[in-house]
Amino acid sequence: MMASTTFLLSLQNFPKDSINDEMVEFLEAYFNMEDYDLETAKRVCGDVAGLLSWTRAMATFYGINKEVLPLKANLAAQEARLAVAMGELERAQSELDEKQRELDEVRKQYNTALEERQKLL
């Protein structure tokens, strides 16, 4: 447990975002050790127990974050695509509204012309 204590103490300087596959793979060797459990760590030293809990939590966080980060990236990409599509929709709707106004004006002129024709007949 003494060698692992030195390694664990060095882990305190690592922010959670700097944990990588290599580090988690290295930790797996400790996680699989028979005496690498909370009860043994508490008997040895309270600080070791805290570090043991921290390493397990960071490995779990890394595993979850490894799955979540691509989902977040995909979400950002899809939101960007949605923003572009909404901009295109807004421009198309604006163009449609303008064409509808033009059509309404032409229909009005046509109806006026028909009324004039009827009067003349």
Side-chain angles (χ1 to χ4, degrees):
M1 197 70 154
M2 208 39 121
S4 61
T5 303
T6 304
F7 170 72
L8 293 175
L9 289 171
S10 70
L11 282 178
Q12 284 182 317
N13 298 322
F14 281 88
K16 64 183 178 188
D17 293 335
S18 69
I19 295 175
N20 57 31
D21 281 330
E22 183 181 350
M23 184 174 288
V24 172
E25 185 178 320
F26 185 75
L27 285 171
E28 285 296 325
Y30 290 99
F31 295 157
N32 294 328
M33 294 175 88
E34 192 173 305
D35 64 346
Y36 194 78
D37 59 28
L38 201 53
E39 293 76 31
T40 304
K42 283 179 182 177
R43 271 188 279 129
V44 173
C45 176
D47 291 340
V48 173
L51 286 170
L52 183 142
S53 295
W54 184 84
T55 56
R56 288 191 184 273
M58 288 302 101
T60 301
F61 169 82
Y62 176 75
I64 292 169
N65 207 31
K66 192 174 179 179
E67 293 177 18
V68 169
L69 288 177
L71 295 174
K72 284 183 176 180
N74 185 43
L75 175 62
Q78 297 305 324
E79 286 175 338
R81 287 181 61 205
L82 176 60
V84 169
M86 292 303 288
E88 290 173 0
L89 175 61
E90 190 176 309
R91 284 188 295 280
Q93 185 63 51
S94 193
E95 185 178 337
L96 177 61
D97 292 345
E98 178 59 34
K99 295 301 179 187
Q100 186 62 52
R101 282 190 292 275
E102 290 175 13
L103 179 60
D104 291 346
E105 182 60 34
V106 169
R107 281 188 178 153
K108 183 179 173 185
Q109 291 173 3
Y110 175 74
N111 288 335
T112 302
L114 282 179
E115 288 174 11
E116 285 296 319
R117 180 175 176 246
Q118 287 298 324
K119 286 179 189 176
L120 292 173
L121 289 175

